[in-house]
Amino acid sequence: MATSGTQGLRENLRDLPRNFRDSMIRHEPPVSDRSRSQAVFTNLFLHIHSTRTHVRTLSASATFGLGVAALSFFAILTGTGIALMVYYTPSTDLAYQSIKDLHYVVPTGRLIRNIHRWGAHLMVLAVMLHMCRVFYTASYKAPREFNWVAGMGLFILTLALSFTGYLLPWDQLAYWAVTIGANIAASPRELTDALGITEVFDPGGFQKELLLGASEVGQQALTRFYLLHVIVLPLALAVLLGVHFWRIRKDGGLGHPGQTHNAAGKGVEETEAKRPDAEPQKSYGLMAIVGGTSSATDDEPGTTVPSWPFALRAELLVFMACTLICVALGMAFDAPLKEIANPGVPENPAKAPWYFLGLQEMVSYSAFMGGLVVPAVTVLGLALIPYLDREPEEAGVYLGGARSPRVAWQSALFGFVLSVAAVAVPVNFGWLRSWFPDVSQLVVIFVNPGSLLMAAYAAWSLGVLARTGSTRKSAIALFTCFVVGFLVLTVVATFFRGPNWEFHWSQATWPAH
Amino acid sequence: MSERLKPEPLPRRDFLGLAGLWSAAVAIGGSLIGMSRLPKPSVLPEAGRRFRIGRPEDFPDGTEEILTAEKVLVRSGPQGIAAISLVCTHLGCIVSRESAGFGCPCHGSAFGQNGEVGGGPAPRGLRWLEVSRGVDGRLVVDADREVAPGTWCQV
């Protein structure tokens, strides 16, 4: 009796590693397509993939890997961000010094901070390009409308993360960029002041106070931005990312030509549920392994490949490339750090990061219109695209449909000419105040190059709608105009604006001070 | 029995379930709404924005002095002494004194000699601040109290 007890224990000890592995991993060794599919299906982290992936999804030009790249940058930023938090101190007395320590003293600190800075720029870039890719391939159409809106949420969170991170080094750039940002939040005062109702109704002041916790950028603002940057926004972004990925699966994977959806335009699961003769409901993912119709698509067999290894390999490749770019940039270029924040002397010119410079260009006409109204209308308009344009179109083709490319390049030209004019006219001829010194402030707020540009783009888009009778073409016109306008304003603000936000063809003509 | 006395009853379980759900929602929502006041500061955590700037004789007639830390320009003239805030009314940068008046480095707002809007995106002129004399005779500027442009403190 005692002998067999010890015997059993000994056997259990001997088999412990294997039994532990078997209890943890629910599938066979991944040696065949079938067992690999099983692995994808049963693993918590891998089952965000379907067991098989459409070949078109994996072709480089279909997506350019931009979504995975954005995710990769987010992962890199999370990792390096946690590392930076070991030394960073969110106090106005110590923040700047702790960044200096990270740069000069902490082993690998400089590289990690550089990677964090470059990763942030690249994540914004990847998210923007990803949005363009999804738009131009019509991948926001039913049943993917909601995922487009979730993507807009992720875009805003990405920008908010980068804006909150901007203050943390507590240098001159940080201080003045955030002072400007907080005053943009307060800019509804322009309107309430002009109407004389600020005393009783002051949404601008409320927003600024909520953001800064004070009336000026100081310790309270630093605490709040730190809190947002390291906990609130990354958490929100991670949750929304989960929704985004889950919806990709539920909406039938990435859009590609030949894919069909049921009349209700709903996800594929419902199609299955409505077919009582469908094969066992639960194993929809495994059905493809044994052949027959995959629930994900109505494709011919042979157009899909096992996700392990093909999709996983592609994703790993993108991740590796992103890491490589970040590390290479981090080794080659140091993240900037100006003098310590000085509330008495602004940077001149005080420029925001590049993705906000288009806005800063418009803010230089009117803070309220350029800083709040135009961006809010743009974001709202973008989010509503899938609900305003419901024409059925094959997802996954760039500018599919006859004449779409033509609408796109005509709109690009229109958008370019008008945005250049929106800069050139005020630079050369001044604006309302220089022509009519006594003009009412309300007119100055609403009639400025930024708002006129937006109105012209909207009119152009409606013109395309009237001419072609197609909401998709109208959407292409508007989106293209905004992309081109954003690019032009960003380039102007980055390269051609000098001290006092004056126009200079090159930095060589900046006045010495 | 008539139909009126036999309405479609809400099943007891549905009623209890819905009641439970709604009480939970009201409890959580109510506490969240209550807590949402937290981030709005009831007292601004700042040093007072009233500061002494010196005695009237420190500012001879016809001179100007820029107090960098306080972000004001103190001007002395025949009518008395006035203080003009150097915080740009556009987006809060600090304007610099130029021959024509004031200029903002951030977005190019321009102001005239008395802070009136001369160009650029600024929605209004620079703020004139209240100047008064303390009990000890020294001048006090209150950055929280704006006065109409052209208001001088008699000395």
Side-chain angles (χ1 to χ4, degrees), chain A residues 61-119:
Chain A
S61 65
T63 63
F64 297 103
L66 289 164
V68 178
L71 173 70
S72 305
F73 291 127
F74 181 58
I76 292 167
L77 287 165
T78 309
T80 51
I82 290 171
L84 291 171
M85 280 171 71
V86 173
Y87 286 98
Y88 177 74
T89 318
S91 124
T92 50
D93 294 332
L94 301 172
Y96 185 74
Q97 297 309 328
S98 62
I99 297 284
K100 280 232 148 133
D101 282 349
L102 276 163
H103 196 95
Y104 292 108
V105 183
V106 174
T108 73
R110 184 189 305 205
L111 181 63
I112 287 178
R113 181 169 110 86
N114 292 351
I115 292 175
H116 196 74
R117 173 62 69 112
W118 290 115

Side-chain angles (χ1 to χ4, degrees), chain B residues 8-155:
Chain B
E8 186 72 19
L10 179 67
R12 189 172 53 94
R13 279 162 194 252
D14 285 7
F15 173 76
L16 290 176
L18 282 172
L21 207 61
W22 275 104
S23 27
V26 167
I28 294 172
S31 17
L32 282 180
I33 290 169
M35 285 194 295
S36 68
R37 291 190 50 201
L38 181 140
K40 170 94 170 67
S42 45
V43 178
L44 291 184
E46 295 165 319
R49 306 218 294 153
R50 238 170 99 84
F51 39 85
R52 294 198 182 90
I53 55 172
R55 302 196 165 274
E57 48 273 28
D58 297 339
F59 302 96
D61 204 0
T63 62
E64 278 185 358
E65 193 173 331
I66 286 176
L67 307 178
T68 315
E70 286 83 13
K71 304 172 189 172
V72 295
L73 173 135
V74 180
R75 179 178 288 172
S76 177
Q79 306 103 307
I81 288 182
I84 301 176
S85 165
L86 295 175
V87 178
C88 180
T89 53
H90 178 227
L91 290 176
C93 293
I94 307 301
V95 297
S96 46
R97 189 77 173 94
E98 292 166 356
S99 52
F102 303 88
C104 182
C106 290
H107 303 96
S109 291
F111 302 91
Q113 297 295 351
N114 294 321
E116 69 276 11
V117 178
R124 45 163 301 185
L126 294 175
R127 299 161 71 231
W128 283 49
L129 305 176
E130 187 189 78
V131 184
S132 55
R133 297 189 72 166
V135 281
D136 56 355
R138 284 195 281 185
L139 294 165
V140 177
V141 172
D142 190 339
D144 287 325
R145 283 173 173 246
E146 191 183 351
V147 293
T151 309
W152 299 79
C153 172
Q154 304 285 338
V155 288

Side-chain angles (χ1 to χ4, degrees), chain A residues 175-176 179-180 183-184 187 190 193 206 209-210 213-216 220 224 343-350 360 363-367 433 441 498-501, chain B residues 36 38-41 43-46 49 68-69 71 87 89-96 98 103-109 117-124:
Chain A
Y175 183 89
W176 288 103
T179 296
I180 290 171
N183 281 304
I184 289 176
S187 65
E190 274 188 16
D193 274 347
F206 175 74
E209 220 162 78
L210 208 58
S215 58
E216 282 174 19
Q220 302 296 321
R224 283 170 188 227
V345 183
E347 275 283 291
N348 190 3
Q360 202 176 345
V363 160
S364 70
Y365 308 124
S366 157
R433 269 230 183 78
Q441 178 57 31
N500 295 6
W501 211 247
Chain B
S36 68
L38 181 140
K40 170 94 170 67
V43 178
L44 291 184
E46 295 165 319
R49 306 218 294 153
T68 315
K71 304 172 189 172
V87 178
T89 53
H90 178 227
L91 290 176
C93 293
I94 307 301
V95 297
S96 46
E98 292 166 356
C104 182
C106 290
H107 303 96
S109 291
V117 178
R124 45 163 301 185

